[in-house]
Amino acid sequence: GGQPTGDLKAMIEKTFGSYETFAAEFKQAAITQFGSGWAWLVIEKGILRIMKTPNADLPMVHGATALMTCDVWEHAYYLKYQNKRGDYITAFWNVANWDYAQKLYEEALAKNK
């Protein structure tokens, strides 16, 4: 939970202007993913971006490396949140593993050197 730290935090702030803007854009991507799918924080050619994919589609198929994902398939949230996907995504930030995202970020940068 919490917020990112280190280089990933700096890149999020550089790319999106602030963590709060990033979180709002990520939530919007997750909420607007029609039906089943995913919202992702990815790095592609050294640039962070948010993407969403339907069903079993993955960013890796499109040349991006996943750093973090939020599952928006109904099975992930329906029992507790029912049709309140936005509440589920707000709660997602309580369990986001920023240390792991930072590790994946560092590995992606090292691969592209």
Side-chain angles (χ1 to χ4, degrees):
Q3 294 187 16
T5 59
D7 295 340
L8 181 56
K9 178 181 180 175
M11 185 55 78
I12 285 172
E13 291 172 346
K14 178 180 177 185
T15 303
F16 299 98
S18 69
Y19 170 79
E20 292 74 21
T21 300
F22 156 75
E25 290 183 22
F26 188 93
K27 183 175 183 176
Q28 185 65 22
I31 287 173
T32 60
Q33 173 55 50
F34 179 75
S36 298
W38 313 85
W40 305 86
L41 172 63
V42 301
I43 187 166
E44 184 176 14
K45 297 178 184 171
I47 300 169
L48 289 183
R49 68 185 192 97
I50 295 168
M51 67 185 298
K52 57 186 180 176
T53 59
N55 303 316
D57 195 10
L58 301 170
M60 294 67 92
V61 174
H62 305 283
T65 299
L67 304 179
M68 178 178 288
T69 188
C70 181
D71 181 348
V72 293
W73 288 61
E74 291 79 8
H75 68 259
Y77 65 88
Y78 196 81
L79 287 177
K80 185 169 183 174
Y81 295 95
Q82 287 154 14
N83 291 323
K84 299 175 186 161
R85 188 185 275 191
D87 291 350
Y88 161 72
I89 297 157
T90 297
F92 167 79
W93 299 117
N94 295 322
V95 297
N97 188 339
W98 287 111
D99 292 337
Y100 189 64
Q102 173 71 35
K103 178 180 181 270
L104 294 175
Y105 176 70
E106 291 168 1
E107 289 173 0
L109 289 179
K111 264 193 213 178
N112 291 319
K113 283 188 176 185

